[in-house]
């Protein structure tokens, strides 16, 4: 019976895997005495631009001759860029985000990176998601450690949800973890399928590890039902794009408007690994990003929640300054980040652009450690102990 149960558990697929990432405190949300957090609950939405987005063709230094010398065919001409200042423009696909910038709802932080950068996708992403130094290898992520810190003996639940099939390192703490799913309805329906209920009835008091898995599954069953119930409480009037990012931001919007009290949402978009024919690929991905973020921001504004949400974008690294022989760019270092929301204290270009006269081995040199961005958001937006979560002190930035 034990062997059969093991096999049936493994057959459950990705939803069973997701159940291992349910925070223990999530089940507490089902308590009828739980009071929903009112509007004003601060939320962070993280959009990961996977693959290493080219920051120089995102925020374009169109008055810099070096930019065009090193990118004779790849450089975006000034007349095509969306003008931000006399010196700088935005990628032409980001029309809606340019409108957010003009309205004071977006800040752009440039030259973001970390010391001793790694050009491996996997290693650099681990560094960004764990918030470690380049020489350190940590098995948990900065959002997961936020859950550890905030949800240990806390008096109200705090959540982190990732709209994906698998949970990122960023969302895994030592004691608490976020929950990964693509669709609340599918999560709830899948977790209530006969296979799961059969497993629950059959487990009895088997060996400790298997018993733990079944108990986790039981918590997931009830939590999935709760998330689905809250998901149904708000039906957006906006028409979101049918892209994966559009669907994900629609899900996030519906949950934010339900006051489910989730603090952090995480979603990925890409791949921006543009070694070949970069222009078309980046144009397409930016169009998807712009369409989805524009509708999301409008949805939040129309429901008086834009001031309660900060959207942060990041990518594991930028690209090299010079284009390659395939009309693309190779792995680089420092990059730009977008910060979007009605609660920003500073908007527009938040710092100086990259210095193309001072490259290191053909790469941009970072000026802002990304962990300062995390520290600022943790402390000033989420009211968390950033020093404990990031394991050291980082000076705060002033965008919030």
């Amino acid at each position: 019976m034990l062997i059969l149960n093991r096999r049936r558990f493994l057959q459950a697929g990705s939803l069973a895997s997701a159940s291992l990432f349910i925070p223990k405190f999530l089940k507490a949300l089902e308590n009828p005495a739980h009071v929903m957090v009112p509007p004003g609950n601060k939320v962070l939405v993280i959009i990961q631009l996977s693959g290493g987005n080219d920051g120089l063709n995102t925020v374009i230094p169109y008055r810099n001759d070096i930019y065009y010398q090193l990118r004779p065919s790849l450089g975006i001409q000034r007349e095509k860029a969306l003008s931000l200042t006399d010196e700088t423009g935005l990628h032409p696909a980001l029309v809606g985000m340019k409108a957010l910038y003009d309205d004071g709802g977006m800040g752009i932080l440039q030259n973001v990176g970390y010391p001793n950068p790694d050009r491996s996708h996997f290693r650099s992403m681990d560094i960004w998601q764990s918030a470690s130094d380049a020489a350190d290898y940590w098995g948990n992520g900065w959002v997961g450690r936020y859950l550890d810190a905030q949800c240990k003996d806390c008096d109200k639940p705090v959540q982190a949800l990732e709209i994906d099939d698998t949970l990122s390192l960023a969302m895994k703490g030592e004691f608490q973890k976020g929950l990964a799913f693509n669709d609340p309805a599918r999560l709830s329906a899948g977790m209530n399928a006969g296979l799961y209920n059969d497993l629950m009835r059959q487990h009895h008091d088997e060996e400790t590890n298997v018993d733990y898995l079944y108990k986790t599954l039981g918590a997931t069953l009830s939590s999935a039902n709760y998330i689905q119930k809250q998901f149904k409480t708000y039906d957006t009037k906006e028409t979101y794009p049918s892209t994966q990012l559009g669907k994900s931001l629609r899900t996030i919007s519906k949950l934010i408007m339900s006051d489910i009290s989730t603090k952090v949402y995480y979603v990925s978009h890409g791949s921006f690994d543009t070694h070949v024919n970069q222009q078309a690929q980046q144009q397409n991905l930016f169009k998807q990003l712009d369409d989805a973020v524009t509708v999301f921001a409008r949805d939040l504004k129309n429901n008086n929640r834009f001031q309660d949400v900060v959207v942060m974008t990041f990518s594991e690294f930028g690209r090299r300054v010079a284009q390659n022989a395939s009309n693309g760019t190779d792995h680089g270092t420092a990059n730009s980040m977008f910060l979007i929301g009605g609660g920003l204290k500073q908007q527009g270009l938040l710092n100086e652009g990259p210095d193309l006269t001072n490259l290191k081995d053909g790469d941009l040199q970072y000026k802002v450690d990304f962990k300062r961005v995390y520290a600022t958001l943790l402390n000033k937006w989420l009211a968390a102990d950033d020093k404990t979560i990031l394991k050291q002190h980082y000076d705060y930035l002033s965008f919030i």
Side-chain angles (χ1 to χ4, degrees):
M1 178 65 71
L2 176 58
I3 294 175
L4 175 61
N5 282 347
R6 285 178 188 269
R7 288 175 178 170
R8 298 189 72 187
F9 191 90
L10 290 173
Q11 289 171 356
S14 61
L15 287 174
S17 298
S19 74
L20 302 181
F21 303 135
I22 280 279
K24 294 177 183 177
F25 55 78
L26 192 56
K27 186 174 172 57
L29 287 169
E30 292 185 296
N31 189 335
H34 171 67
V35 178
M36 287 298 177
V37 178
N41 178 41
K42 301 305 182 187
V43 173
L44 173 63
V45 178
I46 302 168
I47 301 179
Q48 172 183 304
L49 304 181
S50 304
N53 175 52
D54 178 23
L56 272 180
N57 273 22
T58 303
V59 184
I60 304 154
Y62 53 45
R63 288 288 295 274
N64 195 312
D65 292 338
I66 299 175
Y67 168 74
Y68 293 108
Q69 290 169 8
L70 296 177
R71 298 185 169 202
S73 62
L74 197 59
I76 296 175
Q77 297 303 312
R78 180 175 184 177
E79 58 270 20
K80 293 182 179 180
L82 306 174
S83 180
L84 302 177
T85 68
D86 289 342
E87 304 283 335
T88 308
L90 199 61
H91 190 283
L94 301 176
V95 178
M97 294 172 69
K98 169 63 162 54
L100 287 171
Y101 177 97
D102 291 340
D103 290 342
M106 185 168 80
I108 301 174
L109 192 61
Q110 302 178 87
N111 306 304
V112 186
Y114 57 91
N116 304 310
D118 195 300
R119 293 181 183 84
S120 161
H121 288 293
F122 302 105
R123 179 61 191 139
S124 192
M125 186 60 79
D126 280 354
I127 292 168
W128 274 84
Q129 291 193 357
S130 67
S132 71
D133 290 333
D136 296 330
Y137 290 78
W138 293 351
N140 48 54
W142 72 284
V143 178
R145 295 195 304 275
Y146 162 75
L147 293 176
D148 287 342
Q150 295 299 100
C151 300
K152 183 178 181 181
D153 301 322
C154 63
D155 61 352
K156 65 177 152 183
V158 180
Q159 298 181 52
L161 302 179
E162 181 165 5
I163 313 303
D164 205 337
D165 286 327
T166 58
L167 197 71
S168 299
L169 173 63
M171 304 286 279
K172 300 176 183 178
E174 183 177 357
F175 306 106
Q176 304 284 359
K177 294 179 176 64
L179 169 66
F181 61 90
N182 262 318
D183 179 9
R186 179 174 172 267
L187 175 68
S188 179
M191 294 309 299
N192 282 288
L195 172 61
Y196 295 93
N197 293 314
D198 288 347
L199 287 168
M200 288 300 300
R201 286 193 296 267
Q202 294 174 15
H203 87 276
H204 300 299
D205 293 320
E206 293 159 350
E207 63 185 73
T208 303
N209 288 340
V210 174
D211 190 54
Y212 166 77
L213 295 178
Y214 281 116
K215 288 179 179 178
T216 305
L217 179 59
T220 305
L221 280 166
S222 54
S223 300
N225 290 338
Y226 176 80
I227 292 172
Q228 168 66 353
K229 180 181 177 181
Q230 291 306 112
F231 182 72
K232 291 179 177 179
T233 62
Y234 170 76
D235 190 12
T236 178
K237 297 178 181 178
E238 300 293 338
T239 301
Y240 279 78
S242 59
T243 61
Q244 184 58 53
L245 183 61
K247 294 175 182 177
S248 296
L249 290 186
R250 180 179 181 273
T251 295
I252 292 171
S253 172
K254 285 171 64 67
L255 290 172
I256 288 174
M257 248 62 84
S258 78
D259 285 324
I260 198 173
S261 77
T262 302
K263 289 289 192 179
V264 181
Y265 295 92
Y266 197 102
V267 63
S268 298
H269 178 54
S271 168
F272 286 85
D273 196 17
T274 52
H275 292 279
V276 179
N277 296 327
Q278 174 177 301
Q279 287 181 334
Q281 184 174 346
Q282 192 180 40
Q283 169 77 23
N284 180 53
L285 290 171
F286 273 165
K287 179 68 165 55
Q288 294 179 28
L289 175 69
D290 189 76
D291 288 347
V293 168
T294 300
V295 176
F296 181 64
R298 185 167 64 241
D299 204 358
L300 294 173
K301 288 179 179 180
N302 290 341
N303 287 275
N304 197 31
R305 295 306 302 270
F306 189 57
Q307 69 275 11
D308 301 327
V309 178
V310 168
V311 178
M312 180 197 83
T313 72
F314 83 95
S315 199
E316 67 263 38
F317 45 62
R319 316 295 293 190
R320 294 181 72 81
V321 176
Q323 69 179 65
N324 60 28
S326 301
N327 284 320
T329 50
D330 298 322
H331 299 178
T333 52
N335 210 340
S336 56
M337 300 177 71
F338 293 129
L339 297 154
I340 299 168
L344 299 179
K345 292 183 177 179
Q346 289 183 325
Q347 305 85 23
L349 294 176
L350 302 178
N351 58 349
E352 293 183 354
D355 184 356
L356 301 187
T357 67
N358 185 26
L359 305 180
K360 185 175 181 180
D361 300 325
D363 280 319
L364 301 174
Q365 299 202 56
Y366 90 98
K367 295 180 182 177
V368 179
D369 193 317
F370 74 87
K371 294 181 284 296
R372 293 183 62 194
V373 182
Y374 291 178
T376 302
L377 290 167
L378 287 166
N379 181 273
K380 294 186 176 184
W381 191 249
L382 298 177
D385 182 357
D386 59 287
K387 300 176 187 65
T388 297
I389 295 166
L390 299 178
K391 304 186 182 183
Q392 70 177 79
H393 170 73
Y394 294 96
D395 291 336
Y396 303 137
L397 298 166
S398 54
F399 60 88
I400 54 174

